[in-house]
Amino acid sequence: MKKRNKIIIITGAAVFAIALVLTIILLTLGKASGKLSVAFYGIDENQAAVIRDEIQKAKTDKISFSFRTLDEGTPLPDQVKSGSDLLITPAGKNAFSVSNSLDSKKSPALSSGILSSGTSVSIRTAAVYNSNKKLVQVPILLDNMELLVSTKALKNTGTQTITTWDDIEEFTTKAKSLYPFSIVFAGSDSETLLSLVTALTEAYSGKKACDAASDLISAFFERNPTADSMTCFDFVKEIAETPDTPLYTATQVLSRWHRERLVHPNVFQMTKNDVAKYLENDYSVLTFMTLSDHRKIDSNIMNRYTTLPRALNNGGNTVGFFPSVRTATGRNLTCPMIVAIPLSTNKLTKYTVEHILKTPIQESLSAKTGLSPVLSNCTVPDIQADDVRFFVAATNAPIQPLSASAFTEKSRRDFFAKELINYILSISF
């Protein structure tokens, strides 16, 4: 009898212990806790501040976030080997090198379904998976290279529509007699220049040409880490001099615009501040700039300009920011992306990325940065942000500009851009 009572007591204690453990699990289930370190690399400080504030909204009394900004002068992979759980950075070669260097077995497993709700096929295709098919890079915001047109100039030149590159050149030629200079862009800024070259290459020659240029440039600097100006100039000629080279059409177009004075004669020395002043004083009729840079200029000034209209069906050709003879299904728009990359197995990494991709957070990020959200069902601040999302959804996975896809170091990017300018000017006369 005593033995039986003892068994009953032991059994009861065990059941109680199990119940207590289950109760604790149930009480804590779904309540994230712990610490998470977030690193930013290559992100505009205002955009980084907005993203940081939105991440903080996931904070509870059980979560502690810390943030740091990594040095752009140091290769990114060397800075993320320890100390951070989550990286926020532009998509491109740097981001891919980090994702590719993570231990495929130990890297945190983000749910493959994290992008399935509310995102277009193009955005889901742009996500990066490792060899174990784990999601290791997630787009969170979309930028764009815009083609801005002066509404006043459209009226003064009697231009009714712009749907092709021939239309653009006809419009800017007419405008030369009414305005000091037709086309401006921050040509001295390597990111702007290489983004424009990428967008022109995609529009005229397609994604394969953009990929080929990126691969060739990367390989050149791997072979020639200390290349001098002459060596780099000769390399630019190799990838741009003949019709079968990837940058031929883009460089020929820019050269012709310069030769025919459709662009400002000193466009390759112009800064972003110069462009802002030209827009402010109505000195330009057509401007190339990123949506990010657009947002830094007073809205009263930018209201005088319009981007090319939404996709239209013009004889079977899709017309967008950068016209092309190919339909949408044959296009991959140049669309700089900000991505989130998990760096550790910290369970809060998945929790935080999922938080960033919630509809209210995406709407807030878009409203405060002016960029486009990756979710299709979000409200956006204006037509420009909506257009980016619309065009990306209508085309294939977006491509990254050469400034991001071919380079991991700003110094090399600037060096290459300088020799690219020298080449364009050399064929302008």
Side-chain angles (χ1 to χ4, degrees), residues 57-122:
K57 289 181 179 179
K59 185 176 180 179
T60 69
D61 56 358
K62 294 182 179 295
I63 300 178
S64 174
F65 289 108
S66 62
F67 302 90
R68 64 176 180 146
T69 301
L70 303 179
D71 178 16
E72 286 192 65
T74 303
L76 178 57
D78 296 343
Q79 299 185 73
V80 297
K81 292 179 180 177
S82 63
S84 298
D85 302 300
L86 179 64
L87 173 66
I88 308 295
T89 190
K93 187 174 180 180
N94 253 323
F96 185 78
S97 65
V98 170
S99 298
N100 200 42
S101 68
L102 296 174
D103 189 311
S104 61
K105 294 181 180 179
K106 295 181 180 179
S107 57
L110 295 176
S111 169
S112 59
I114 197 171
L115 287 171
S116 61
S117 177
T119 54
S120 65
V121 173
S122 299

Side-chain angles (χ1 to χ4, degrees), residues 394-429:
T395 56
N396 299 303
I399 58 174
Q400 299 312 295
L402 288 172
S403 54
S405 67
F407 298 94
T408 58
E409 298 174 37
K410 182 180 183 299
S411 58
R412 286 185 178 177
R413 183 187 76 206
D414 292 345
F415 177 57
F416 175 81
K418 179 182 176 182
E419 296 310 321
L420 180 63
I421 290 170
N422 287 337
Y423 174 73
I424 292 169
L425 293 177
S426 75
I427 60 174
S428 295
F429 303 100

Side-chain angles (χ1 to χ4, degrees), residues 301-348:
I301 296 172
M302 298 312 293
N303 287 339
R304 306 172 197 165
Y305 299 85
T306 183
T307 51
L308 286 187
R310 291 169 175 263
L312 304 171
N313 192 286
N314 180 37
N317 298 331
T318 296
V319 178
F321 284 24
F322 282 75
S324 173
V325 296
R326 297 186 312 284
T327 59
T329 55
R331 300 201 64 185
N332 300 76
L333 295 183
T334 304
C335 178
M337 297 188 301
I338 296 177
V339 297
I341 301 175
L343 300 175
S344 77
T345 55
N346 188 331
K347 64 182 180 180
L348 284 179

Side-chain angles (χ1 to χ4, degrees), residues 351-372:
Y351 173 83
T352 303
V353 174
E354 289 177 342
H355 168 77
I356 294 172
L357 292 174
K358 289 180 179 177
T359 298
I361 302 302
Q362 280 278 295
E363 289 179 344
S364 186
L365 285 170
S366 179
K368 293 175 182 178
T369 63
L371 301 181
S372 175

